[in-house]
Amino acid sequence: MKNADLVILGGGPAGLAAALAARQAGVQDILILERDAELGGILNQCIHNGFGLHTFKEELTGPEYAARFADKVKAQGIPYKLNTMVMDLSADKVVTAMNRTDGLFQVQAKAVVLAMGCRERPRGALNIPGTRPAGIFTAGTAQRLVNMEGYLPGRRVVILGSGDIGLIMARRMTLEGAKVLCVAELMPYSGGLKRNIVQCLNDFDIPLKLSHTVVDIEGKERVTGVTIAEVKNGKPVPGTEEHFACDTLLLSCGLLPENELSRTAGVALSPITGGPQVDESLQTSIPGVFAAGNVLHVHDLVDYVSEEASAAGTSAAAYILHGAAAAGRSLPVVAQNGVRYTVPVTVHPQATETLTLRMRVDNVYKGKALAVYAGETCLWRRKRPVMAPGEMETVVLKADALAKIPADAANLTVTLEEV
């Protein structure tokens, strides 16, 4: 069995940022394991621009953004193994993996960073009635076919779901000569960023039908048409059906954190996000196992993934070099009144000078205030003109705010309230 101070599971933007931060913090023995043929993860197929505005203060494409981090990893000589599938992670941080060069091998790690990213929700999880013909793709699969393989999946397209990948693929398919007939969204609001709705749908006159879903798929060998209908109270409304003759249906119905390995290791997972439950250092329920990026919760900007992963890498380095931090008062973080979840879910106020809370709301809210309380004491409050589920909210509590936490506070509460 091999040994390594830090093993990072995933060579995408989260894994690369975590590795660089850990090396900067003084850890030399680092190993990145990546199942794909190159570093960079999903960014390699995201050829549109809009990445890096926070991290690099310039607009980059996905491959350009990934290359910035991959080049730094290579320049610093951080080892990585490509085409390597991690098979198992044990509670005592033994990583079992395999590839064609090394065969099956194990690595005993002092610390592990989970950076496996997320996957798309497939058709089988959606219960869409109809036949099972060819021509049904997840939006990410279609993106890879167009941008990396050079194939156009279809000519007449309907998209179910308004997640960011679906919105971006509506524009991409249009630019490649396909006709995108509509984007149907089950919820009464879009799941994507406002800028993507404007740039990918409005600019190309592609209709977005909110509170609609696919109720039938037609075709034997290949999709020949789909029927959508309005939805109220979770059920299609009879008489609102609309038929589209098409050869392709793209699914953009949400992303799921990739946590099979986490579950096998015994990491406690959030029932809301599907990702690990972490504290302010991004440490999971297993000491020495940290998580960051889309494996933790789905982000809307890769810049935030890199920022979060850097914090995880720094925390992992501190664990390796200095051991577990002294346990102190632990406060649960409670989300309520429209706040769907928070990351982290528990904090040790004495262990940090700056506390970053990330969260999403459960609906579209206008003219509300986002606030953080410790008992009856307000630590932070800001009015927000608009908050939507498609855009992540971030709250940074600095030392002066943390100093206000009463000694008898039972938890921190993140809530929406009237202005």
Side-chain angles (χ1 to χ4, degrees):
M1 183 183 297
K2 303 176 183 178
N3 293 285
D5 285 347
L6 177 61
V7 175
I8 297 175
L9 308 186
L16 298 177
L20 290 169
R23 174 58 63 84
Q24 185 174 3
V27 177
Q28 298 300 314
D29 189 9
I30 302 172
L31 177 62
I32 302 171
L33 301 178
E34 168 57 43
R35 67 183 177 186
D36 210 344
E38 54 189 321
L39 297 174
I42 197 67
L43 290 182
N44 290 320
Q45 69 185 50
C46 300
I47 66 172
H48 53 280
N49 58 8
F51 302 92
L53 292 172
H54 295 268
T55 305
F56 298 109
K57 310 302 180 187
E58 59 181 305
E59 197 170 30
L60 304 172
T61 65
E64 288 173 331
Y65 186 97
R68 295 278 179 99
F69 281 89
D71 289 346
K72 290 180 180 178
V73 165
K74 295 172 184 177
Q76 295 196 23
I78 298 175
Y80 57 89
K81 291 181 180 291
L82 303 176
N83 296 305
T84 300
M85 180 65 71
V86 177
M87 311 298 292
D88 183 65
L89 170 65
S90 69
D92 55 355
K93 298 184 282 293
V94 174
V95 178
T96 303
M98 67 180 301
N99 59 39
R100 299 180 71 176
T101 302
D102 302 302
L104 187 69
F105 63 95
Q106 290 185 312
V107 183
Q108 174 66 69
K110 293 181 180 178
V112 173
V113 174
L114 306 175
M116 296 89 74
C118 60
R119 67 176 185 272
E120 295 177 279
R121 184 175 279 110
R123 176 182 176 172
L126 301 175
N127 295 321
I128 303 173
T131 54
R132 298 292 188 269
I136 304 173
F137 305 88
T138 63
T141 298
Q143 185 181 56
R144 183 176 182 89
L145 288 172
V146 174
N147 293 346
M148 299 187 74
E149 310 295 338
Y151 296 106
L152 185 64
R155 294 289 182 179
R156 291 178 60 83
V157 184
V158 171
I159 299 176
L160 175 61
S162 61
D164 287 312
I165 303 176
L167 298 177
I168 288 166
M169 281 310 295
R171 176 178 63 185
R172 191 75 181 95
M173 295 291 284
T174 301
L175 293 174
E176 288 298 324
K179 174 66 176 176
V180 179
L181 303 173
C182 80
V183 176
E185 169 57 55
L186 177 65
M187 304 303 291
Y189 50 80
S190 171
L193 295 170
K194 180 66 176 178
R195 74 183 191 195
N196 285 335
I197 298 172
V198 173
Q199 296 172 3
C200 301
L201 298 187
N202 298 350
D203 288 356
F204 294 90
D205 295 322
I206 299 171
L208 172 62
K209 294 181 177 290
L210 300 176
S211 298
H212 280 71
T213 192
V214 172
V215 295
D216 190 29
I217 300 173
E218 302 168 3
K220 185 176 180 181
E221 300 298 329
R222 175 84 188 200
V223 173
T224 59
V226 301
T227 301
I228 69 171
E230 186 179 352
V231 175
K232 286 187 178 179
N233 299 320
K235 295 183 179 180
V237 178
T240 63
E241 294 85 0
E242 186 175 359
H243 181 267
F244 292 91
C246 62
D247 59 18
T248 304
L249 174 65
L250 299 187
L251 305 176
S252 179
C253 302
L255 301 170
L256 305 172
E258 191 81 73
N259 273 294
E260 283 69 25
L261 291 172
S262 312
R263 188 177 293 107
T264 301
V267 171
L269 301 180
S270 165
I272 299 175
T273 65
Q277 296 182 348
V278 297
D279 63 11
E280 75 287 341
S281 69
L282 301 176
Q283 184 172 233
T284 69
S285 59
I286 298 179
V289 177
F290 301 81
N294 286 346
V295 77
L296 179 56
H297 60 124
V298 177
H299 294 61
D300 45 13
L301 297 179
V302 72
D303 301 79
Y304 296 150
V305 168
S306 300
E307 178 183 309
E308 186 176 83
S310 294
T314 301
S315 296
Y319 179 89
I320 293 166
L321 298 173
H322 308 297
R329 182 168 59 141
S330 177
L331 296 180
V333 183
V334 179
Q336 65 180 32
N337 293 342
V339 179
R340 187 163 177 259
Y341 71 85
T342 67
V343 172
V345 298
T346 183
V347 298
H348 303 85
Q350 74 288 341
T352 182
E353 294 184 357
T354 301
L355 174 61
T356 299
L357 300 172
R358 302 189 193 277
M359 66 212 68
R360 288 184 189 268
V361 294
D362 61 8
N363 210 326
V364 177
Y365 295 95
K366 296 183 179 180
K368 296 277 189 177
L370 181 61
V372 181
Y373 286 86
E376 300 297 322
T377 303
C378 182
L379 307 180
W380 185 96
R381 189 177 187 272
R382 293 288 187 277
K383 180 181 177 181
R384 299 286 283 114
V386 180
M387 288 179 281
E391 306 206 18
M392 192 170 64
E393 301 289 334
T394 301
V395 173
V396 178
L397 300 179
K398 297 186 178 179
D400 57 344
L402 296 175
K404 297 178 183 177
I405 298 177
D408 60 350
N411 55 52
L412 297 186
T413 302
V414 185
T415 184
L416 299 186
E417 55 188 25
E418 299 297 331
V419 176

